[in-house]
Protein backbone atom coordinates (compact mmCIF):
# COMPACT_ATOMS: atom_id res chain seq x y z
CA UNK A 1 0.00 0.00 0.00
CA UNK A 2 1.54 3.38 -1.00
CA UNK A 3 2.31 5.95 1.67
CA UNK A 4 -0.45 8.52 2.09
CA UNK A 5 1.81 11.59 1.87
CA UNK A 6 4.63 10.36 -0.34
CA UNK A 7 6.75 13.25 -1.66
CA UNK A 8 4.55 15.87 0.03
CA UNK A 9 5.91 18.77 2.09
CA UNK A 10 4.14 19.31 5.40
CA UNK A 11 4.34 22.06 8.00
CA UNK A 12 3.15 21.38 11.55
CA UNK A 13 2.97 24.12 14.18
CA UNK A 14 2.98 23.29 17.87
CA UNK A 15 4.96 20.19 16.94
CA UNK A 16 7.23 20.17 19.97
CA UNK A 17 4.90 17.89 21.94
CA UNK A 18 1.48 16.25 22.09
CA UNK A 19 -0.76 16.14 19.04
CA UNK A 20 1.66 18.24 16.99
CA UNK A 21 4.58 15.91 17.64
CA UNK A 22 2.49 12.81 16.95
CA UNK A 23 1.31 14.40 13.69
CA UNK A 24 4.82 15.30 12.55
CA UNK A 25 5.98 11.74 13.23
CA UNK A 26 2.97 10.23 11.43
CA UNK A 27 3.41 12.49 8.41
CA UNK A 28 7.09 11.61 8.13
CA UNK A 29 6.21 7.92 8.39
CA UNK A 30 3.74 8.39 5.54
CA UNK A 31 6.44 9.79 3.24
CA UNK A 32 6.27 13.55 3.80
CA UNK A 33 9.13 15.93 4.33
CA UNK A 34 8.16 17.74 7.53
CA UNK A 35 8.87 21.16 8.95
CA UNK A 36 8.48 20.98 12.71
CA UNK A 37 7.64 24.36 14.20
CA UNK A 38 7.15 25.45 17.78
CA UNK A 39 7.95 28.31 20.13
CA UNK A 40 9.67 25.65 22.26
CA UNK A 41 12.97 25.05 20.48
CA UNK A 42 14.00 22.15 22.69
CA UNK A 43 10.76 20.28 22.09
CA UNK A 44 10.85 20.99 18.38
CA UNK A 45 14.40 19.78 17.96
CA UNK A 46 13.51 16.63 19.90
CA UNK A 47 10.66 15.93 17.47
CA UNK A 48 13.08 16.23 14.54
CA UNK A 49 15.42 13.79 16.30
CA UNK A 50 12.53 11.36 16.77
CA UNK A 51 11.71 11.55 13.07
CA UNK A 52 15.25 10.36 12.56
CA UNK A 53 15.90 11.56 9.01
CA UNK A 54 17.40 15.04 8.88
CA UNK A 55 17.11 15.12 5.10
CA UNK A 56 13.33 15.01 5.46
CA UNK A 57 12.76 16.97 8.68
CA UNK A 58 13.71 20.44 9.86
CA UNK A 59 12.90 22.56 12.89
CA UNK A 60 11.96 26.21 12.46
CA UNK A 61 11.29 28.32 15.54
CA UNK A 62 8.18 30.48 15.16
CA UNK A 63 5.68 32.48 17.17
CA UNK A 64 2.31 32.06 15.47
CA UNK A 65 1.01 35.32 16.96
CA UNK A 66 3.69 37.34 15.12
CA UNK A 67 3.02 38.05 11.42
CA UNK A 68 6.71 38.44 10.59
CA UNK A 69 7.54 35.14 12.30
CA UNK A 70 4.78 33.32 10.42
CA UNK A 71 5.86 34.83 7.12
CA UNK A 72 9.43 33.71 7.74
CA UNK A 73 8.22 30.23 8.71
CA UNK A 74 6.44 29.61 5.42
CA UNK A 75 9.19 31.26 3.36
CA UNK A 76 11.86 29.12 5.00
CA UNK A 77 9.74 25.96 4.57
CA UNK A 78 9.63 26.52 0.82
CA UNK A 79 13.33 27.38 0.72
CA UNK A 80 14.22 24.10 2.43
CA UNK A 81 11.84 21.67 0.74
CA UNK A 82 10.60 23.49 -2.37
CA UNK A 83 6.85 23.67 -1.70
CA UNK A 84 4.10 23.52 0.91
CA UNK A 85 1.53 20.83 0.26
CA UNK A 86 0.08 20.22 3.74
CA UNK A 87 -0.20 22.64 6.65
CA UNK A 88 -1.31 21.66 10.14
CA UNK A 89 -2.11 24.67 12.31
CA UNK A 90 -1.95 22.96 15.66
CA UNK A 91 -0.30 25.47 18.02
CA UNK A 92 -2.71 26.24 20.84
CA UNK A 93 -2.98 27.03 24.53
CA UNK A 94 -5.31 26.40 27.45
CA UNK A 95 -4.76 28.23 30.73
CA UNK A 96 -5.95 25.29 32.80
CA UNK A 97 -8.06 27.60 34.96
CA UNK A 98 -11.83 27.21 35.18
CA UNK A 99 -14.17 30.04 36.14
CA UNK A 100 -17.45 31.64 35.09
CA UNK A 101 -17.02 34.30 32.42
CA UNK A 102 -17.22 37.32 34.73
CA UNK A 103 -14.27 36.00 36.74
CA UNK A 104 -11.96 35.30 33.80
CA UNK A 105 -9.20 37.94 33.61
CA UNK A 106 -9.08 39.97 30.41
CA UNK A 107 -5.45 39.01 29.94
CA UNK A 108 -6.39 35.32 29.90
CA UNK A 109 -8.91 35.98 27.15
CA UNK A 110 -6.34 37.96 25.15
CA UNK A 111 -3.67 35.26 25.52
CA UNK A 112 -5.93 32.39 24.49
CA UNK A 113 -7.48 34.25 21.57
CA UNK A 114 -4.09 35.48 20.31
CA UNK A 115 -2.60 32.00 20.08
CA UNK A 116 -5.66 29.90 19.25
CA UNK A 117 -7.41 32.24 16.81
CA UNK A 118 -4.97 34.89 15.60
CA UNK A 119 -2.32 32.19 15.25
CA UNK A 120 -4.52 30.11 12.97
CA UNK A 121 -5.62 33.23 11.08
CA UNK A 122 -2.05 34.37 10.39
CA UNK A 123 -0.81 30.90 9.46
CA UNK A 124 -3.66 30.28 7.04
CA UNK A 125 -3.19 33.66 5.37
CA UNK A 126 0.45 32.96 4.57
CA UNK A 127 -0.05 29.27 3.76
CA UNK A 128 -2.88 30.06 1.36
CA UNK A 129 -0.74 32.58 -0.54
CA UNK A 130 1.84 29.86 -1.12
CA UNK A 131 -0.77 27.25 -2.02
CA UNK A 132 -2.45 29.59 -4.50
CA UNK A 133 0.91 30.00 -6.23
CA UNK A 134 1.33 26.22 -6.36
CA UNK A 135 -2.21 25.47 -7.48
CA UNK A 136 -3.56 23.80 -4.33
CA UNK A 137 -2.90 22.20 -0.98
CA UNK A 138 -4.48 20.89 2.20
CA UNK A 139 -4.83 22.66 5.54
CA UNK A 140 -5.91 21.09 8.81
CA UNK A 141 -6.54 23.24 11.89
CA UNK A 142 -6.71 21.90 15.42
CA UNK A 143 -9.97 22.98 17.04
CA UNK A 144 -11.61 21.01 19.87
CA UNK A 145 -14.84 19.30 20.80
CA UNK A 146 -15.28 22.48 22.87
CA UNK A 147 -15.57 24.23 19.51
CA UNK A 148 -18.76 22.25 18.91
CA UNK A 149 -20.39 22.00 22.35
CA UNK A 150 -20.27 23.88 25.63
CA UNK A 151 -17.90 23.13 28.49
CA UNK A 152 -18.64 25.14 31.65
CA UNK A 153 -15.91 27.34 33.06
CA UNK A 154 -13.74 27.77 29.96
CA UNK A 155 -15.53 30.53 28.04
CA UNK A 156 -12.39 32.02 26.51
CA UNK A 157 -11.11 28.61 25.34
CA UNK A 158 -14.53 27.64 23.97
CA UNK A 159 -14.79 30.95 22.14
CA UNK A 160 -11.39 30.41 20.57
CA UNK A 161 -12.15 26.90 19.36
CA UNK A 162 -15.60 27.84 18.03
CA UNK A 163 -13.75 30.55 16.10
CA UNK A 164 -11.35 27.99 14.63
CA UNK A 165 -14.30 25.92 13.40
CA UNK A 166 -15.83 29.04 11.83
CA UNK A 167 -12.56 30.05 10.19
CA UNK A 168 -12.17 26.54 8.83
CA UNK A 169 -15.62 26.33 7.30
CA UNK A 170 -15.59 29.78 5.74
CA UNK A 171 -12.05 29.50 4.38
CA UNK A 172 -12.87 26.10 2.91
CA UNK A 173 -15.71 27.63 0.92
CA UNK A 174 -13.63 30.64 -0.14
CA UNK A 175 -10.86 28.51 -1.63
CA UNK A 176 -12.59 25.29 -2.72
CA UNK A 177 -12.40 26.26 -6.39
CA UNK A 178 -8.68 26.93 -6.03
CA UNK A 179 -7.83 23.38 -5.04
CA UNK A 180 -7.19 24.23 -1.40
CA UNK A 181 -9.01 22.02 1.10
CA UNK A 182 -9.42 23.27 4.68
CA UNK A 183 -10.64 21.05 7.50
CA UNK A 184 -10.22 20.87 11.25
CA UNK A 185 -10.04 18.20 13.90
CA UNK A 186 -12.01 18.51 17.13
CA UNK A 187 -10.33 16.33 19.74
CA UNK A 188 -11.98 15.39 23.00
CA UNK A 189 -9.98 14.61 26.13
CA UNK A 190 -6.56 13.58 24.81
CA UNK A 191 -3.60 12.48 26.91
CA UNK A 192 -1.24 15.42 26.34
CA UNK A 193 0.61 17.93 28.49
CA UNK A 194 -2.41 20.22 28.22
CA UNK A 195 -4.53 17.72 30.17
CA UNK A 196 -1.76 16.36 32.41
CA UNK A 197 -3.15 17.96 35.57
CA UNK A 198 -6.43 16.16 34.97
CA UNK A 199 -5.15 12.71 34.06
CA UNK A 200 -2.87 12.72 37.10
CA UNK A 201 -5.90 13.34 39.32
CA UNK A 202 -7.94 10.10 39.72
CA UNK A 203 -11.20 11.95 40.36
CA UNK A 204 -10.85 14.27 37.37
CA UNK A 205 -9.62 11.43 35.19
CA UNK A 206 -12.70 9.37 36.04
CA UNK A 207 -14.90 12.35 35.16
CA UNK A 208 -13.24 12.82 31.78
CA UNK A 209 -13.54 9.15 30.96
CA UNK A 210 -17.22 9.20 31.90
CA UNK A 211 -17.87 12.03 29.43
CA UNK A 212 -16.51 9.99 26.54
CA UNK A 213 -18.72 6.96 25.84
CA UNK A 214 -15.75 4.97 24.63
CA UNK A 215 -14.63 5.00 28.27
CA UNK A 216 -11.07 6.31 28.06
CA UNK A 217 -8.93 9.27 27.07
CA UNK A 218 -7.70 9.53 23.54
CA UNK A 219 -4.08 9.38 22.45
CA UNK A 220 -2.23 12.01 20.38
CA UNK A 221 -1.47 9.34 17.79
CA UNK A 222 -5.19 8.77 17.23
CA UNK A 223 -5.69 12.43 16.38
CA UNK A 224 -2.58 12.38 14.20
CA UNK A 225 -3.95 9.55 12.07
CA UNK A 226 -7.05 11.62 11.29
CA UNK A 227 -4.93 14.65 10.41
CA UNK A 228 -2.81 12.55 8.04
CA UNK A 229 -5.95 11.29 6.31
CA UNK A 230 -7.45 14.78 5.97
CA UNK A 231 -4.15 15.99 4.53
CA UNK A 232 -3.93 13.18 2.00
CA UNK A 233 -5.48 12.65 -1.42
CA UNK A 234 -7.68 9.98 0.18
CA UNK A 235 -9.75 12.89 1.55
CA UNK A 236 -9.87 14.73 -1.77
CA UNK A 237 -13.63 15.38 -1.55
CA UNK A 238 -13.59 16.53 2.08
CA UNK A 239 -13.41 20.22 2.90
CA UNK A 240 -14.95 22.52 5.50
CA UNK A 241 -15.43 19.63 7.90
CA UNK A 242 -14.89 19.71 11.70
CA UNK A 243 -13.98 16.09 12.46
CA UNK A 244 -14.76 15.00 16.02
CA UNK A 245 -12.15 12.69 17.53
CA UNK A 246 -13.64 12.44 20.97
CA UNK A 247 -14.74 8.90 21.84
CA UNK A 248 -18.35 9.89 21.23
CA UNK A 249 -18.44 12.96 23.48
CA UNK A 250 -20.38 15.28 21.14
CA UNK A 251 -22.67 12.47 19.95
CA UNK A 252 -24.46 12.38 23.29
Amino acid sequence: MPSQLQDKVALVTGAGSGIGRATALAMAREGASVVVSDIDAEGGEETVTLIGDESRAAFIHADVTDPASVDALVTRTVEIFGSLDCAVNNAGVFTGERAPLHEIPDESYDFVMDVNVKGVWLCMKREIVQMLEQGGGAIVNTASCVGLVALPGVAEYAASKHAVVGLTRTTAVDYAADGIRVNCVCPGYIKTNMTRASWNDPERLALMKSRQPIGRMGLPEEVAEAIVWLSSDAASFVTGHPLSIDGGLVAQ
Side-chain angles (χ1 to χ4, degrees):
M1 182 177 178
S3 299
Q4 294 185 77
L5 300 177
Q6 192 65 45
D7 301 324
K8 302 284 189 182
V9 175
L11 164 63
V12 185
T13 68
S17 63
I19 292 170
R21 171 175 287 178
T23 299
L25 293 172
M27 288 182 139
R29 185 193 68 231
E30 290 296 328
S33 296
V34 182
V35 168
V36 172
S37 184
D38 205 296
I39 201 166
D40 172 15
E42 183 177 353
E45 294 285 7
E46 185 176 344
T47 300
V48 171
T49 299
L50 290 169
I51 290 173
D53 184 350
E54 293 187 2
S55 68
R56 291 180 45 246
F59 171 70
I60 301 176
H61 180 274
D63 176 356
V64 298
T65 69
D66 177 13
S69 184
V70 171
D71 188 69
L73 171 61
V74 175
T75 297
R76 186 67 182 131
T77 296
V78 177
E79 288 175 351
I80 295 171
F81 292 122
S83 64
L84 176 60
D85 304 298
C86 312
V88 182
N89 300 314
N90 170 75
V93 294
F94 173 59
T95 66
E97 301 298 322
R98 294 175 182 268
L101 186 145
H102 75 282
E103 295 179 4
I104 296 173
D106 293 345
E107 54 268 28
S108 293
Y109 174 87
D110 291 340
F111 173 59
V112 170
M113 295 297 283
D114 272 356
V115 178
N116 294 359
V117 183
K118 183 181 178 182
V120 171
W121 170 276
L122 291 174
C123 286
M124 282 205 296
K125 284 186 73 174
R126 186 60 184 85
E127 292 155 1
I128 286 168
V129 169
Q130 178 61 34
M131 289 177 179
L132 286 171
E133 292 177 2
Q134 295 174 187
I139 296 173
V140 181
N141 300 318
T142 300
S144 168
C145 64
V146 187
L148 300 172
V149 296
L151 180 65
V154 293
E156 80 281 42
Y157 183 73
S160 74
K161 294 304 185 177
H162 273 76
V164 171
V165 172
L167 282 172
T168 297
R169 284 173 161 155
T170 302
T171 308
V173 172
D174 284 343
Y175 296 96
D178 297 300
I180 299 173
R181 295 186 301 103
V182 187
N183 295 287
C184 64
V185 290
C186 298
Y189 293 111
I190 308 297
K191 201 169 184 180
T192 67
N193 287 337
M194 190 176 287
T195 58
R196 182 177 296 276
S198 295
W199 50 266
N200 280 337
D201 180 326
E203 186 174 330
R204 292 173 71 179
L205 177 59
L207 179 60
M208 287 192 298
K209 287 181 176 180
S210 72
R211 288 177 174 168
Q212 301 188 140
I214 208 166
R216 63 173 176 84
M217 293 186 72
L219 300 175
E221 292 78 11
E222 293 174 304
V223 182
E225 291 298 329
I227 293 173
V228 166
W229 179 74
L230 287 170
S231 301
S232 76
D233 292 340
S236 57
F237 201 56
V238 181
T239 196
H241 182 60
L243 178 60
S244 298
I245 310 169
D246 59 9
L249 189 154
V250 302
Q252 300 178 92

